Coordinates of all heavy atoms in Angstrom, one line a residue:
M13 N -31.0 8.8 -13.5 CA -29.5 8.8 -13.8 C -28.9 7.7 -12.9 O -27.7 7.7 -12.6 CB -29.0 10.1 -13.5 CG -29.4 11.2 -14.5 SD -28.8 12.8 -14.1 CE -27.2 12.9 -14.9
K14 N -29.7 6.8 -12.3 CA -29.1 5.8 -11.4 C -28.2 4.9 -12.2 O -28.5 4.5 -13.3 CB -30.3 5.0 -10.8 CG -30.1 4.9 -9.3 CD -31.2 4.2 -8.7 CE -31.0 4.1 -7.1 NZ -32.0 3.5 -6.4
G15 N -27.1 4.5 -11.5 CA -26.2 3.5 -12.1 C -25.3 4.2 -13.1 O -24.4 3.5 -13.7
Q16 N -25.4 5.5 -13.3 CA -24.6 6.2 -14.3 C -23.1 6.3 -13.7 O -22.9 6.5 -12.6 CB -25.1 7.6 -14.5 CG -24.5 8.3 -15.7 CD -24.9 9.7 -15.8 OE1 -25.3 10.3 -14.8 NE2 -24.7 10.3 -16.9
V17 N -22.2 6.1 -14.6 CA -20.8 6.2 -14.2 C -20.4 7.7 -14.2 O -20.7 8.4 -15.1 CB -19.9 5.5 -15.2 CG1 -18.4 5.6 -14.8 CG2 -20.3 4.0 -15.3
A18 N -19.8 8.1 -13.1 CA -19.4 9.5 -12.9 C -18.4 9.8 -14.0 O -17.4 9.1 -14.3 CB -18.7 9.7 -11.6
P19 N -18.6 11.0 -14.7 CA -17.7 11.4 -15.8 C -16.4 11.8 -15.3 O -16.2 12.2 -14.1 CB -18.4 12.5 -16.5 CG -19.3 13.0 -15.4 CD -19.7 11.9 -14.5
K20 N -15.4 11.8 -16.1 CA -14.0 12.3 -15.8 C -13.9 13.7 -16.4 O -14.3 14.0 -17.5 CB -13.0 11.4 -16.4 CG -13.0 10.0 -15.8 CD -11.7 9.7 -15.1 CE -11.6 8.2 -14.8 NZ -12.6 7.7 -13.8
C21 N -13.2 14.6 -15.6 CA -12.9 15.9 -16.0 C -12.0 15.9 -17.3 O -11.0 15.3 -17.3 CB -12.3 16.7 -14.9 SG -11.7 18.4 -15.4
P22 N -12.4 16.6 -18.4 CA -11.6 16.6 -19.6 C -10.3 17.4 -19.4 O -9.4 17.3 -20.3 CB -12.5 17.3 -20.6 CG -13.5 18.1 -19.8 CD -13.7 17.4 -18.5
H23 N -10.2 18.2 -18.3 CA -9.0 19.0 -18.1 C -8.0 18.4 -17.3 O -6.8 18.6 -17.5 CB -9.4 20.4 -17.5 CG -10.4 21.1 -18.4 ND1 -10.1 21.8 -19.5 CD2 -11.8 21.2 -18.2 CE1 -11.2 22.3 -20.0 NE2 -12.2 22.0 -19.3
C24 N -8.4 17.6 -16.3 CA -7.4 17.0 -15.4 C -7.6 15.5 -15.2 O -6.7 14.8 -14.6 CB -7.4 17.7 -14.0 SG -9.0 17.3 -13.1
G25 N -8.7 14.9 -15.7 CA -8.9 13.5 -15.6 C -9.4 13.0 -14.3 O -9.6 11.8 -14.1
A26 N -9.7 13.9 -13.4 CA -10.2 13.5 -12.1 C -11.7 13.1 -12.2 O -12.4 13.6 -13.1 CB -10.1 14.7 -11.1
T27 N -12.1 12.2 -11.4 CA -13.5 11.8 -11.4 C -14.4 13.0 -10.9 O -14.1 13.5 -9.8 CB -13.8 10.6 -10.5 OG1 -13.0 9.5 -11.0 CG2 -15.2 10.2 -10.5
M28 N -15.4 13.3 -11.6 CA -16.2 14.5 -11.2 C -17.2 14.0 -10.1 O -17.6 12.9 -10.1 CB -17.0 15.0 -12.4 CG -16.0 15.5 -13.5 SD -16.7 16.0 -15.0 CE -17.1 17.8 -14.6
L29 N -17.5 15.0 -9.2 CA -18.4 14.7 -8.1 C -19.8 15.3 -8.3 O -19.9 16.3 -9.0 CB -17.8 15.2 -6.8 CG -16.4 14.7 -6.5 CD1 -15.8 15.5 -5.3 CD2 -16.4 13.2 -6.2
K30 N -20.7 14.6 -7.6 CA -22.1 15.2 -7.7 C -22.2 16.4 -6.8 O -21.8 16.3 -5.6 CB -23.1 14.1 -7.2 CG -23.4 13.1 -8.3 CD -24.5 12.2 -7.7 CE -24.7 11.1 -8.7 NZ -25.7 10.1 -8.1
W31 N -22.7 17.5 -7.3 CA -22.8 18.7 -6.6 C -24.3 19.1 -6.6 O -24.9 19.2 -7.6 CB -22.0 19.8 -7.2 CG -22.1 21.2 -6.6 CD1 -21.7 21.6 -5.4 CD2 -22.9 22.3 -7.2 NE1 -22.1 22.9 -5.2 CE2 -22.8 23.3 -6.3 CE3 -23.5 22.4 -8.4 CZ2 -23.4 24.5 -6.5 CZ3 -24.1 23.7 -8.6 CH2 -24.0 24.7 -7.7
R32 N -24.8 19.3 -5.4 CA -26.3 19.6 -5.3 C -26.5 21.0 -5.8 O -25.9 22.0 -5.3 CB -26.7 19.5 -3.8 CG -28.2 19.6 -3.6 CD -28.5 19.4 -2.1 NE -28.2 18.1 -1.6 CZ -27.2 17.8 -0.8 NH1 -26.5 18.7 -0.3 NH2 -27.0 16.5 -0.4
V33 N -27.5 21.1 -6.6 CA -27.9 22.5 -7.2 C -28.6 23.2 -6.1 O -29.5 22.7 -5.5 CB -28.8 22.3 -8.4 CG1 -29.3 23.6 -8.9 CG2 -28.0 21.6 -9.5
P34 N -28.2 24.5 -5.9 CA -28.9 25.3 -4.8 C -30.4 25.4 -5.1 O -30.8 25.6 -6.3 CB -28.2 26.7 -4.9 CG -27.0 26.4 -5.6 CD -27.2 25.2 -6.5
I35 N -31.2 25.4 -4.1 CA -32.7 25.4 -4.2 C -33.1 26.7 -4.9 O -34.0 26.8 -5.7 CB -33.3 25.3 -2.8 CG1 -33.1 23.8 -2.4 CG2 -34.8 25.6 -2.9 CD1 -33.4 23.6 -0.9
A36 N -32.3 27.8 -4.6 CA -32.7 29.1 -5.1 C -32.3 29.3 -6.6 O -32.6 30.3 -7.2 CB -32.0 30.2 -4.2
S37 N -31.6 28.4 -7.1 CA -31.1 28.6 -8.5 C -32.3 28.3 -9.5 O -33.3 27.8 -9.1 CB -30.0 27.6 -8.8 OG -30.5 26.3 -9.1
T38 N -32.0 28.7 -10.7 CA -33.0 28.5 -11.8 C -32.8 27.2 -12.5 O -33.6 26.9 -13.4 CB -33.0 29.7 -12.8 OG1 -31.6 29.8 -13.3 CG2 -33.4 30.9 -12.1
W39 N -31.8 26.4 -12.1 CA -31.6 25.1 -12.8 C -32.6 24.1 -12.4 O -32.9 23.9 -11.2 CB -30.2 24.6 -12.5 CG -29.1 25.4 -13.2 CD1 -29.0 25.7 -14.5 CD2 -27.9 25.9 -12.6 NE1 -27.9 26.4 -14.7 CE2 -27.2 26.5 -13.6 CE3 -27.4 25.9 -11.3 CZ2 -25.9 27.1 -13.4 CZ3 -26.2 26.4 -11.1 CH2 -25.5 27.1 -12.1
P40 N -33.2 23.4 -13.3 CA -34.2 22.4 -12.9 C -33.6 21.1 -12.4 O -34.3 20.3 -11.8 CB -34.9 22.1 -14.3 CG -33.9 22.4 -15.3 CD -33.0 23.5 -14.7
E41 N -32.3 20.9 -12.6 CA -31.6 19.6 -12.2 C -31.5 19.5 -10.7 O -31.4 20.5 -10.0 CB -30.3 19.5 -12.8 CG -30.3 19.1 -14.3 CD -30.5 20.3 -15.2 OE1 -30.4 21.5 -14.7 OE2 -30.7 20.1 -16.4
E42 N -31.4 18.3 -10.2 CA -31.2 18.1 -8.8 C -29.7 18.2 -8.5 O -29.3 18.7 -7.4 CB -31.6 16.7 -8.4 CG -31.7 16.4 -7.0 CD -32.2 15.0 -6.7 OE1 -32.9 14.4 -7.6 OE2 -31.8 14.4 -5.7
Y43 N -28.8 17.8 -9.4 CA -27.4 17.9 -9.2 C -26.7 17.9 -10.5 O -27.2 17.6 -11.5 CB -26.9 16.7 -8.3 CG -27.0 15.4 -9.0 CD1 -26.0 14.9 -9.9 CD2 -28.1 14.5 -8.7 CE1 -26.2 13.7 -10.5 CE2 -28.2 13.3 -9.3 CZ -27.3 12.9 -10.2 OH -27.4 11.7 -10.8
F44 N -25.4 18.4 -10.4 CA -24.5 18.4 -11.6 C -23.3 17.7 -11.2 O -22.9 17.5 -10.0 CB -24.1 19.9 -11.9 CG -25.1 20.7 -12.4 CD1 -25.3 22.0 -12.0 CD2 -26.0 20.3 -13.4 CE1 -26.2 22.9 -12.5 CE2 -26.9 21.2 -14.0 CZ -27.1 22.5 -13.5
Y45 N -22.6 17.2 -12.2 CA -21.2 16.7 -12.0 C -20.3 17.8 -12.1 O -20.3 18.5 -13.1 CB -20.9 15.6 -13.0 CG -21.5 14.2 -12.6 CD1 -22.5 13.7 -13.3 CD2 -20.9 13.5 -11.5 CE1 -23.1 12.4 -12.9 CE2 -21.4 12.3 -11.1 CZ -22.5 11.7 -11.8 OH -23.0 10.5 -11.5
V46 N -19.4 18.0 -11.1 CA -18.4 19.1 -11.1 C -17.0 18.5 -10.8 O -16.9 17.6 -9.9 CB -18.8 20.2 -10.1 CG1 -17.8 21.3 -10.0 CG2 -20.2 20.7 -10.4
C47 N -16.0 19.1 -11.4 CA -14.6 18.7 -11.1 C -14.2 19.6 -9.9 O -14.2 20.8 -10.0 CB -13.7 19.0 -12.2 SG -12.0 18.8 -11.8
L48 N -13.9 19.0 -8.7 CA -13.5 19.8 -7.6 C -12.1 19.6 -7.2 O -11.6 19.7 -6.1 CB -14.4 19.4 -6.4 CG -15.8 20.1 -6.6 CD1 -16.9 19.3 -5.9 CD2 -15.8 21.5 -6.0
N49 N -11.3 19.2 -8.2 CA -9.8 19.0 -8.0 C -9.2 20.4 -8.0 O -9.3 21.1 -8.9 CB -9.3 18.2 -9.2 CG -7.8 18.0 -9.1 OD1 -7.2 18.4 -8.1 ND2 -7.2 17.5 -10.2
D50 N -8.5 20.7 -6.8 CA -7.9 22.0 -6.7 C -6.7 22.2 -7.6 O -6.2 23.3 -7.7 CB -7.5 22.2 -5.2 CG -8.7 22.5 -4.3 OD1 -9.8 22.9 -4.9 OD2 -8.6 22.2 -3.1
E51 N -6.2 21.1 -8.1 CA -5.0 21.1 -9.0 C -5.5 21.2 -10.5 O -4.6 21.2 -11.4 CB -4.2 19.9 -8.9 CG -3.9 19.5 -7.4 CD -2.8 20.3 -6.8 OE1 -1.7 20.3 -7.3 OE2 -3.1 21.1 -5.9
C52 N -6.7 21.1 -10.7 CA -7.2 21.1 -12.1 C -6.8 22.3 -12.9 O -7.0 23.5 -12.4 CB -8.8 21.0 -12.1 SG -9.5 21.0 -13.8
P53 N -6.1 22.2 -14.0 CA -5.6 23.4 -14.7 C -6.7 24.4 -15.1 O -6.4 25.6 -15.2 CB -4.9 22.8 -15.9 CG -5.3 21.4 -16.0 CD -5.7 20.9 -14.6
Y54 N -7.8 23.9 -15.4 CA -8.9 24.7 -15.8 C -9.3 25.7 -14.7 O -9.4 26.9 -14.9 CB -10.1 23.8 -16.1 CG -11.3 24.5 -16.7 CD1 -11.3 25.1 -18.0 CD2 -12.5 24.6 -16.0 CE1 -12.4 25.7 -18.5 CE2 -13.7 25.2 -16.5 CZ -13.6 25.7 -17.8 OH -14.7 26.3 -18.3
Y55 N -9.3 25.1 -13.5 CA -9.7 25.9 -12.3 C -8.5 26.8 -11.9 O -8.6 28.0 -11.6 CB -10.0 25.0 -11.1 CG -9.9 25.6 -9.8 CD1 -10.9 26.4 -9.3 CD2 -8.9 25.2 -8.9 CE1 -10.9 27.0 -8.1 CE2 -8.9 25.8 -7.6 CZ -9.9 26.6 -7.2 OH -9.8 27.2 -6.0
V56 N -7.2 26.3 -11.9 CA -6.0 27.0 -11.6 C -5.9 28.2 -12.5 O -5.6 29.4 -12.1 CB -4.8 26.1 -11.6 CG1 -3.5 26.9 -11.4 CG2 -4.9 25.1 -10.5
Q57 N -6.0 28.0 -13.8 CA -5.8 29.1 -14.8 C -7.0 30.1 -14.7 O -6.9 31.3 -15.1 CB -5.7 28.6 -16.2 CG -4.3 27.9 -16.4 CD -4.3 26.9 -17.6 OE1 -5.1 27.1 -18.5 NE2 -3.4 26.0 -17.6
G58 N -8.1 29.6 -14.2 CA -9.3 30.5 -14.2 C -9.2 31.7 -13.4 O -9.7 32.8 -13.7
W59 N -8.3 31.6 -12.3 CA -8.1 32.8 -11.5 C -7.5 33.9 -12.3 O -7.8 35.1 -12.2 CB -7.2 32.4 -10.3 CG -7.8 31.5 -9.3 CD1 -7.6 30.1 -9.2 CD2 -8.8 31.8 -8.3 NE1 -8.4 29.6 -8.2 CE2 -9.1 30.6 -7.6 CE3 -9.4 33.0 -7.9 CZ2 -10.0 30.5 -6.6 CZ3 -10.4 32.9 -6.9 CH2 -10.6 31.7 -6.2
D60 N -6.5 33.5 -13.1 CA -5.8 34.5 -13.9 C -6.7 35.1 -15.0 O -6.7 36.3 -15.3 CB -4.5 33.9 -14.5 CG -3.4 33.6 -13.5 OD1 -3.5 34.3 -12.4 OD2 -2.6 32.8 -13.8
V61 N -7.4 34.2 -15.6 CA -8.3 34.6 -16.7 C -9.4 35.6 -16.2 O -9.6 36.6 -16.8 CB -9.0 33.4 -17.3 CG1 -10.0 33.8 -18.4 CG2 -7.9 32.5 -18.0
M62 N -10.0 35.3 -15.1 CA -11.0 36.1 -14.5 C -10.4 37.5 -14.1 O -11.1 38.5 -14.2 CB -11.7 35.5 -13.3 CG -12.5 34.3 -13.7 SD -14.0 34.7 -14.7 CE -15.1 35.3 -13.4
W63 N -9.2 37.5 -13.6 CA -8.6 38.7 -13.1 C -8.3 39.6 -14.3 O -8.5 40.8 -14.3 CB -7.3 38.4 -12.3 CG -6.7 39.7 -11.8 CD1 -5.5 40.2 -12.2 CD2 -7.2 40.6 -10.8 NE1 -5.3 41.4 -11.5 CE2 -6.3 41.6 -10.7 CE3 -8.4 40.6 -10.1 CZ2 -6.5 42.7 -9.8 CZ3 -8.6 41.7 -9.2 CH2 -7.7 42.7 -9.1
E64 N -7.7 39.0 -15.4 CA -7.4 39.7 -16.6 C -8.6 40.3 -17.3 O -8.6 41.4 -17.8 CB -6.5 38.9 -17.5 CG -5.1 38.8 -17.1 CD -4.4 37.6 -17.8 OE1 -4.8 37.2 -18.9 OE2 -3.4 37.1 -17.3
Q65 N -9.6 39.4 -17.4 CA -10.8 39.8 -18.2 C -11.8 40.6 -17.5 O -12.4 41.5 -18.1 CB -11.4 38.5 -18.8 CG -10.6 37.8 -19.7 CD -11.3 36.5 -20.3 OE1 -12.4 36.2 -19.9 NE2 -10.7 35.9 -21.3
Q66 N -11.9 40.4 -16.2 CA -13.0 41.0 -15.5 C -12.6 41.7 -14.2 O -13.4 42.2 -13.4 CB -14.1 40.0 -15.2 CG -14.6 39.3 -16.4 CD -15.9 38.5 -16.2 OE1 -16.7 38.9 -15.4 NE2 -16.0 37.4 -17.0
A67 N -11.2 41.7 -13.9 CA -10.7 42.2 -12.6 C -11.5 41.7 -11.4 O -11.9 42.4 -10.5 CB -10.8 43.7 -12.7
T68 N -11.8 40.4 -11.5 CA -12.5 39.7 -10.4 C -11.7 38.6 -9.8 O -11.1 37.9 -10.5 CB -13.8 39.1 -11.0 OG1 -14.6 40.1 -11.6 CG2 -14.7 38.5 -9.9
R69 N -11.7 38.6 -8.5 CA -11.0 37.5 -7.8 C -11.9 36.3 -7.7 O -12.6 36.1 -6.7 CB -10.5 37.9 -6.5 CG -9.5 39.0 -6.5 CD -8.4 38.9 -5.4 NE -7.5 40.1 -5.5 CZ -6.4 40.1 -6.3 NH1 -6.1 39.0 -7.0 NH2 -5.7 41.2 -6.3
A70 N -12.0 35.6 -8.8 CA -12.8 34.4 -8.9 C -12.3 33.4 -9.9 O -11.3 33.8 -10.6 CB -14.2 34.8 -9.3
S71 N -12.8 32.3 -9.9 CA -12.4 31.3 -10.9 C -13.6 30.5 -11.3 O -14.8 30.9 -11.0 CB -11.3 30.4 -10.4 OG -10.8 29.5 -11.4
Y72 N -13.4 29.4 -11.9 CA -14.5 28.5 -12.3 C -14.0 27.1 -12.3 O -12.9 26.8 -12.5 CB -15.2 28.9 -13.6 CG -14.2 29.4 -14.6 CD1 -13.4 28.4 -15.3 CD2 -14.0 30.7 -14.9 CE1 -12.4 28.9 -16.2 CE2 -13.0 31.1 -15.8 CZ -12.3 30.2 -16.5 OH -11.3 30.6 -17.4
R73 N -15.0 26.2 -12.1 CA -14.7 24.8 -12.1 C -15.4 24.2 -13.3 O -16.4 24.7 -13.8 CB -15.0 24.1 -10.8 CG -14.2 24.5 -9.6 CD -14.5 23.8 -8.4 NE -13.8 24.2 -7.2 CZ -12.6 23.8 -6.8 NH1 -11.9 22.9 -7.6 NH2 -12.0 24.2 -5.7
C74 N -15.0 23.0 -13.7 CA -15.6 22.4 -14.9 C -16.8 21.6 -14.4 O -16.8 20.8 -13.5 CB -14.6 21.4 -15.5 SG -15.2 20.6 -16.9
R75 N -17.9 21.9 -15.1 CA -19.2 21.3 -14.8 C -19.8 20.6 -16.0 O -19.6 21.2 -17.2 CB -20.2 22.5 -14.4 CG -21.6 22.1 -14.3 CD -22.4 23.2 -13.7 NE -22.8 24.2 -14.6 CZ -23.9 24.2 -15.4 NH1 -24.7 23.1 -15.4 NH2 -24.2 25.2 -16.3
L76 N -20.4 19.5 -15.9 CA -21.0 18.8 -17.0 C -22.5 19.2 -17.0 O -23.2 19.0 -16.0 CB -20.9 17.3 -16.8 CG -21.6 16.5 -17.9 CD1 -21.0 16.7 -19.2 CD2 -21.5 15.0 -17.5
D77 N -22.9 19.8 -18.1 CA -24.3 20.2 -18.3 C -25.1 19.0 -18.7 O -24.8 18.5 -19.8 CB -24.4 21.4 -19.3 CG -25.8 21.8 -19.4 OD1 -26.2 22.6 -18.5 OD2 -26.5 21.4 -20.3
P78 N -26.0 18.5 -17.9 CA -26.7 17.3 -18.3 C -27.6 17.4 -19.5 O -27.9 16.4 -20.2 CB -27.5 16.9 -17.1 CG -27.6 18.2 -16.3 CD -26.5 19.1 -16.7
D79 N -28.0 18.6 -19.8 CA -28.9 18.8 -21.0 C -28.2 18.7 -22.3 O -28.6 18.0 -23.2 CB -29.6 20.2 -20.9 CG -30.7 20.2 -20.0 OD1 -31.3 19.1 -19.7 OD2 -31.1 21.2 -19.5
S80 N -27.0 19.4 -22.4 CA -26.3 19.4 -23.6 C -25.2 18.4 -23.7 O -24.7 18.1 -24.7 CB -25.7 20.8 -23.8 OG -24.7 21.0 -22.8
G81 N -24.8 17.8 -22.5 CA -23.7 16.9 -22.4 C -22.4 17.6 -22.6 O -21.4 16.9 -22.8
K82 N -22.4 18.9 -22.5 CA -21.1 19.7 -22.7 C -20.5 20.1 -21.3 O -21.3 20.2 -20.4 CB -21.4 20.9 -23.5 CG -21.7 20.6 -25.0 CD -21.8 21.9 -25.8 CE -22.0 21.5 -27.2 NZ -22.9 22.4 -27.9
F83 N -19.2 20.3 -21.4 CA -18.5 20.8 -20.2 C -18.5 22.3 -20.2 O -18.1 22.9 -21.2 CB -17.1 20.3 -20.1 CG -17.1 18.8 -19.9 CD1 -16.9 17.9 -21.0 CD2 -17.3 18.2 -18.7 CE1 -16.9 16.5 -20.8 CE2 -17.3 16.8 -18.5 CZ -17.1 16.0 -19.6
V84 N -19.1 22.9 -19.1 CA -19.2 24.4 -19.1 C -18.7 24.9 -17.7 O -18.6 24.1 -16.8 CB -20.7 24.8 -19.2 CG1 -21.2 24.4 -20.6 CG2 -21.6 24.1 -18.2
P85 N -18.3 26.2 -17.6 CA -17.8 26.7 -16.4 C -18.8 26.9 -15.3 O -20.0 27.3 -15.6 CB -17.1 28.0 -16.8 CG -17.8 28.4 -18.1 CD -18.3 27.1 -18.7
L86 N -18.5 26.6 -14.1 CA -19.3 27.0 -12.9 C -18.5 27.9 -12.1 O -17.4 27.5 -11.5 CB -19.6 25.7 -12.1 CG -20.5 25.9 -10.9 CD1 -21.9 26.4 -11.2 CD2 -20.6 24.5 -10.1
P87 N -18.9 29.2 -11.9 CA -18.1 30.2 -11.2 C -17.9 29.9 -9.7 O -18.9 29.4 -9.1 CB -18.8 31.5 -11.4 CG -19.8 31.2 -12.5 CD -20.1 29.7 -12.5
V88 N -16.7 30.1 -9.2 CA -16.5 30.0 -7.8 C -15.7 31.2 -7.3 O -15.0 31.8 -8.1 CB -15.7 28.7 -7.5 CG1 -16.5 27.4 -7.7 CG2 -14.4 28.6 -8.2
W89 N -15.8 31.5 -6.0 CA -15.1 32.7 -5.5 C -14.0 32.2 -4.5 O -13.3 33.1 -4.0 CB -16.1 33.6 -4.8 CG -16.9 32.8 -3.8 CD1 -16.7 32.8 -2.5 CD2 -18.1 32.1 -4.0 NE1 -17.6 32.0 -1.8 CE2 -18.5 31.5 -2.8 CE3 -18.9 31.7 -5.2 CZ2 -19.6 30.7 -2.6 CZ3 -20.0 30.9 -5.0 CH2 -20.3 30.4 -3.8
S90 N -13.9 31.0 -4.2 CA -12.9 30.5 -3.3 C -12.7 29.0 -3.5 O -13.5 28.3 -4.2 CB -13.2 30.7 -1.8 OG -14.1 29.8 -1.4
A91 N -11.6 28.5 -3.0 CA -11.3 27.0 -3.2 C -12.3 26.2 -2.4 O -12.5 25.0 -2.7 CB -9.9 26.7 -2.6
E92 N -12.9 26.8 -1.4 CA -13.9 26.0 -0.6 C -15.3 26.1 -1.1 O -16.2 25.4 -0.6 CB -13.8 26.5 0.9 CG -12.5 26.2 1.6 CD -12.0 24.8 1.4 OE1 -12.8 23.8 1.6 OE2 -10.8 24.6 0.9
A93 N -15.5 27.1 -2.0 CA -16.9 27.2 -2.5 C -17.3 25.9 -3.1 O -16.6 25.2 -3.7 CB -16.9 28.4 -3.5
L94 N -18.6 25.6 -3.0 CA -19.3 24.5 -3.6 C -19.1 23.2 -2.8 O -19.9 22.3 -2.8 CB -18.8 24.1 -5.0 CG -18.8 25.3 -6.0 CD1 -18.3 24.7 -7.4 CD2 -20.1 26.0 -6.2
K95 N -18.0 23.1 -2.0 CA -17.7 21.9 -1.3 C -18.6 21.4 -0.3 O -18.6 20.2 0.1 CB -16.2 21.9 -0.8 CG -15.2 21.9 -1.9 CD -13.8 21.9 -1.5 CE -12.8 21.8 -2.6 NZ -11.5 22.0 -2.2
D96 N -19.4 22.3 0.3 CA -20.4 21.9 1.3 C -21.6 21.2 0.6 O -22.4 20.6 1.3 CB -21.0 23.2 2.0 CG -19.9 23.7 3.0 OD1 -19.0 23.0 3.3 OD2 -20.1 24.9 3.4
D97 N -21.7 21.3 -0.7 CA -22.9 20.7 -1.3 C -22.5 19.5 -2.2 O -23.3 19.1 -3.1 CB -23.5 21.8 -2.2 CG -24.2 22.8 -1.3 OD1 -25.0 22.5 -0.5 OD2 -23.9 24.0 -1.5
I98 N -21.4 18.9 -1.9 CA -21.1 17.6 -2.5 C -22.0 16.5 -2.0 O -22.3 16.4 -0.8 CB -19.6 17.2 -2.2 CG1 -18.7 18.3 -2.7 CG2 -19.3 15.9 -2.8 CD1 -18.7 18.5 -4.1
I99 N -22.5 15.7 -2.9 CA -23.4 14.6 -2.5 C -22.5 13.4 -2.4 O -21.9 12.9 -3.4 CB -24.5 14.4 -3.6 CG1 -25.3 15.6 -3.8 CG2 -25.3 13.2 -3.2 CD1 -26.3 15.6 -4.9
E100 N -22.4 12.9 -1.2 CA -21.5 11.7 -1.0 C -22.3 10.4 -1.4 O -23.5 10.4 -1.2 CB -21.2 11.6 0.5 CG -20.5 12.8 1.1 CD -19.0 12.8 0.8 OE1 -18.5 11.8 0.2 OE2 -18.4 13.8 1.0
E101 N -21.6 9.5 -1.9 CA -22.3 8.3 -2.4 C -21.7 7.1 -1.7 O -20.6 7.0 -1.3 CB -22.2 8.1 -3.9 CG -23.1 9.1 -4.6 CD -23.1 8.9 -6.1 OE1 -22.2 9.3 -6.7 OE2 -24.1 8.3 -6.5
Ligands
LIG201 ZN1 -10.6 19.0 -13.6

């Protein structure tokens, strides 16, 4: 995936960042592109949606699934979640 241009979030237009997949996860990929914009409407509205649907204080951020090329949710439990695993370039 070298030289690949980072995708833009379809919800807010921010450039998506590389996020390192946890070693303990079942995903085979090394990293995903994730939108980590705290103003992203997808993430902002996710708090309400999760509360209404599941009574859970959580949200999700937009993630690009490299296999399908589709944008799918990545659950988060706080605004700081995931941010320790950003891959700086
Ligand atoms: Zn976004």
Side-chain angles (χ1 to χ4, degrees):
M13 290 173 93
K14 228 178 179 176
Q16 193 190 20
V17 177
K20 298 241 191 297
C21 173
H23 303 280
C24 68
T27 301
M28 299 174 88
L29 301 175
K30 281 184 186 174
W31 173 74
R32 189 179 295 110
V33 174
I35 291 166
S37 82
T38 53
W39 287 311
E41 284 82 9
E42 193 181 332
Y43 63 84
F44 291 134
Y45 279 107
V46 178
C47 173
L48 285 151
N49 176 11
D50 289 336
E51 314 281 299
C52 181
Y54 187 68
Y55 163 72
V56 171
Q57 289 163 21
W59 294 102
D60 290 338
V61 173
M62 289 294 279
W63 183 248
E64 281 166 22
Q65 293 183 354
Q66 306 193 29
T68 302
R69 295 213 184 274
S71 183
Y72 36 76
R73 293 184 185 271
C74 181
R75 167 172 83 85
L76 177 61
D77 184 79
D79 283 338
S80 64
K82 289 187 177 145
F83 293 100
V84 295
L86 179 65
V88 292
W89 55 93
S90 80
E92 296 310 309
L94 311 181
K95 288 182 179 171
D96 286 343
D97 290 305
I98 301 299
I99 302 173
E100 304 280 352
E101 291 186 280

